[in-house]
Amino acid sequence: MKMFGRAPLGVALGIFLASPSVGQQQEAVAPPIGDQVLDVIGTADWHRAHWGIDVRDAATGERVLGHNAERLFVPASNLKLVVAAAAAHLLGGDFRYSTEFFRTGPLNGETIEGDVVVYGTGDPNLSGRFDRPMTADLAAFADSLLERGVRRVDGGIVADVSHWDHEPLHTDWEHYDMRWWYAAPTGPLGFNDNAIDFTIRPGAPGGPARVSWKPDTDSFVFLNETRTSAAGGDATWDFDRVPGTDTIFAYGEMPADARAKTEHFSVRDPALFFGMMLGQVLAERGIEVVRPGVAVIRDRLDSAGAEREPLFTYWSRPLADVLGPILRRSQNWFAEQLLKTLGREIREEGSWEAGLEVVETYLREDVGLDSLDFSLRDASGLAAGNLITPAALAEILVHLHGTEAGELVWDALPASAEAGGSLRARFLELPGRVRAKTGHIRNVDSLTGFVRAASGRLLAFSVIVNGTPATSAATSDAIDQVVRIVAKM
């Protein structure tokens, strides 16, 4: 029995198992497999939770196992597979971002008689992720100016971020989340994932905790209102920002025996942060910038009307190096940057609305999904309003299988028991046989990807749990049990 597209309603309400193919032993894919899955999801720990499961043959699309596969679920970070698939299909592996440098006045000897303008298009990899130190890319920009004989800029630094809209933060994200790297503001120019890396350590008893940060920058004001408390006490320290300002403060208590902890606090204005960091690096490389501060161009009309001459263009790493952090490390900010990139590249509008229109069109017209199979709010899955069916996620993987876009996604997915990815400590007895995207937000856990079954066949699967009553670790263990059962097929 082969199932293509939407399964009948009865299939969605219970465990569905495909009939064995000719010559296949009944017990190889027999109801006991389904019974084992039901035993996992039907225990007392999970009787209030909602489970959605879809398993397909990756090559044919045949459904081999299903449970509530057509129901809508909140997917958490499994949603990142959607934007990654759309980008791989629509942009291709050769896609690269450009960061363009201009001057607004003549180059007279070693002096630019005007400003240096940096026009960004959304490159998320201006950081120390692939090159060390953290400011390696900014140093490369400075060296490009030095190679052109520039030693002085009579004007200042201008950050042109008119390539996208003016909405850096999504309206669906929770206010507390917006402090941190996983909800950092989007923008055509950004640096270090638009976050400051704060490390906090105990100080002298009764005194403040010791706080340091990277990058070493004066782009914000820091206030330390913490206290080092007695050993064995509760850690109550946290970070916050004075609303509407670049003043960041730490508060609360840190026990004297606590270990150092690093937190990544989001910046308020990515364009200003990038520009100030670039100015610091130019100064360190011996290039004087006369006008302090950073001017920002946010409007396309202002950008188009400006007179400027090109200096050089920096081309980013390829798309694979954007998909890797999205799928392997679950970097929310990368996913949102990529969504706005899709909007700008395909619809000429760098916004969430345009990006989602592009992704939704891809799902309907290329993958063949019904518009009722999904309702999307962002790219990372941070917004709780995202909805998609397990069947839709599995069908996306089937659509990718055997294509160039599919190879990009496959290579970017974390593999079981592989160092450096989110599956490094999962499925240790199945090394390399599971490649999947993890997902977790409050009351949601999910896992979607591929598993190489014992029969040798490659299966695409999606397992989503909503309304989880247990800890995330317990839910992940239960999901893993389901995937291990599937791996026996």
Side-chain angles (χ1 to χ4, degrees):
M1 176 181 180
K2 289 187 176 181
M3 300 294 299
F4 294 92
R6 177 170 283 99
L9 182 59
V11 171
L13 298 178
I15 287 288
F16 164 82
L17 278 162
S19 300
S21 58
V22 176
Q24 193 173 27
Q25 294 295 319
Q26 177 72 20
E27 55 268 27
V29 290
I33 292 289
D35 289 346
Q36 291 177 52
V37 172
L38 285 174
D39 285 344
V40 173
I41 69 177
T43 63
D45 287 340
W46 310 111
H47 76 284
R48 294 185 186 275
H50 304 285
W51 285 75
I53 302 170
D54 198 43
V55 183
R56 309 285 183 106
D57 185 299
T60 68
E62 176 190 6
R63 175 177 285 151
V64 297
L65 183 70
H67 176 75
N68 292 334
E70 310 295 342
R71 297 283 181 88
L72 289 166
F73 287 80
V74 179
S77 285
N78 277 201
L79 193 70
K80 292 183 176 72
L81 272 167
V82 178
V83 71
H89 180 82
L90 297 171
L91 300 179
D94 293 332
F95 175 79
R96 294 173 185 262
Y97 291 91
S98 63
T99 301
E100 302 172 46
F101 283 71
F102 301 89
R103 54 181 172 84
T104 63
L107 176 58
N108 187 359
E110 296 183 341
T111 300
I112 293 176
E113 297 180 349
D115 298 326
V116 169
V117 181
V118 189
Y119 183 91
T121 63
D123 183 1
N125 270 320
L126 298 178
S127 66
R129 178 167 281 99
F130 295 104
D131 298 302
R132 294 290 186 270
M134 179 187 289
T135 55
D137 291 321
L138 302 184
F141 299 159
D143 289 345
S144 292
L145 289 172
L146 291 170
E147 288 170 5
R148 287 157 178 79
V150 177
R151 298 295 186 277
R152 176 184 167 94
V153 178
D154 267 350
I157 294 173
V158 178
D160 188 334
V161 291
S162 62
H163 196 67
W164 289 356
D165 67 1
H166 309 316
E167 299 294 332
L169 296 168
H170 200 288
T171 55
D172 285 11
W173 295 346
E174 294 186 12
H175 177 74
Y176 179 83
D177 290 341
M178 293 178 187
R179 301 180 189 181
W180 307 107
W181 62 275
Y182 57 84
T186 59
L189 284 172
F191 174 70
N192 193 45
D193 297 6
N194 284 345
I196 307 290
D197 304 336
F198 284 97
T199 298
I200 183 168
R201 299 175 175 84
R210 293 179 294 145
V211 181
S212 59
W213 56 85
K214 294 181 180 180
D216 183 11
T217 173
D218 56 4
S219 62
F220 64 94
V221 175
F222 179 70
L223 304 176
N224 190 346
E225 300 175 358
T226 62
R227 175 180 173 274
T228 303
S229 57
D234 293 332
T236 62
W237 59 268
D238 206 347
F239 288 84
D240 204 348
R241 174 186 288 111
V242 177
T245 75
D246 290 312
T247 298
I248 300 170
F249 61 95
Y251 64 95
E253 296 189 347
M254 186 173 203
D257 59 345
R259 293 184 178 181
K261 182 71 180 292
T262 298
E263 296 285 1
H264 311 283
F265 196 89
S266 68
V267 302
R268 183 177 64 89
D269 189 321
L272 288 174
F273 179 50
F274 172 89
M276 294 188 75
M277 286 304 308
L278 176 62
Q280 286 183 215
V281 173
L282 293 183
E284 291 167 1
R285 306 294 267 202
I287 299 176
E288 179 187 5
V289 179
V290 174
R291 189 180 70 233
V294 178
V296 179
I297 295 176
R298 305 186 193 274
D299 189 273
R300 282 198 208 180
L301 292 178
D302 292 338
S303 178
E307 293 185 6
R308 56 185 68 165
E309 294 293 328
L311 284 165
F312 59 89
T313 297
Y314 172 81
W315 292 97
S316 74
R317 290 176 172 272
L319 183 64
D321 287 338
V322 178
L323 298 183
I326 292 173
L327 298 181
R328 194 169 296 118
R329 306 290 295 184
S330 205
Q331 293 289 96
N332 290 1
W333 183 69
F334 271 63
E336 305 301 348
Q337 292 282 109
L338 189 56
L339 182 66
K340 287 195 172 184
T341 299
L342 283 169
R344 187 65 167 85
E345 292 294 317
I346 308 300
R347 297 287 176 88
E348 297 187 352
E349 180 185 331
S351 67
W352 270 291
E353 291 77 12
L356 290 173
E357 286 177 9
V358 171
V359 171
E360 290 165 359
T361 300
Y362 160 76
L363 294 178
R364 292 193 308 269
E365 297 183 0
D366 294 293
V367 181
L369 299 180
D370 190 294
S371 59
L372 298 178
D373 290 336
F374 53 86
S375 178
L376 309 182
R377 296 294 300 163
D378 64 11
S380 63
L382 186 60
N386 291 300
L387 294 170
I388 195 167
T389 67
L393 288 170
E395 286 187 39
I396 292 169
L397 297 181
V398 170
H399 176 261
L400 289 172
H401 181 64
T403 68
E404 292 184 10
E407 290 182 11
L408 284 170
V409 172
W410 173 274
D411 289 342
L413 282 168
S416 53
E418 180 182 86
S422 56
L423 293 184
R424 58 190 176 277
R426 296 172 70 171
F427 307 106
L428 298 180
E429 80 285 6
L430 300 173
R433 284 176 57 186
V434 181
R435 282 184 176 263
K437 180 71 195 75
T438 58
H440 172 70
I441 57 175
R442 186 184 305 160
N443 302 125
V444 177
D445 277 276
S446 53
L447 189 68
T448 298
F450 299 96
V451 58
R452 182 70 66 181
S455 63
R457 137 170 105 151
L458 186 66
L459 301 175
F461 71 88
S462 180
V463 183
I464 307 177
V465 190
N466 282 186
T468 56
T471 65
S472 177
T475 310
S476 296
D477 288 345
I479 290 173
D480 291 358
Q481 290 180 53
V482 172
V483 175
R484 289 187 178 100
I485 293 167
V486 171
K488 298 176 183 178
M489 289 182 164

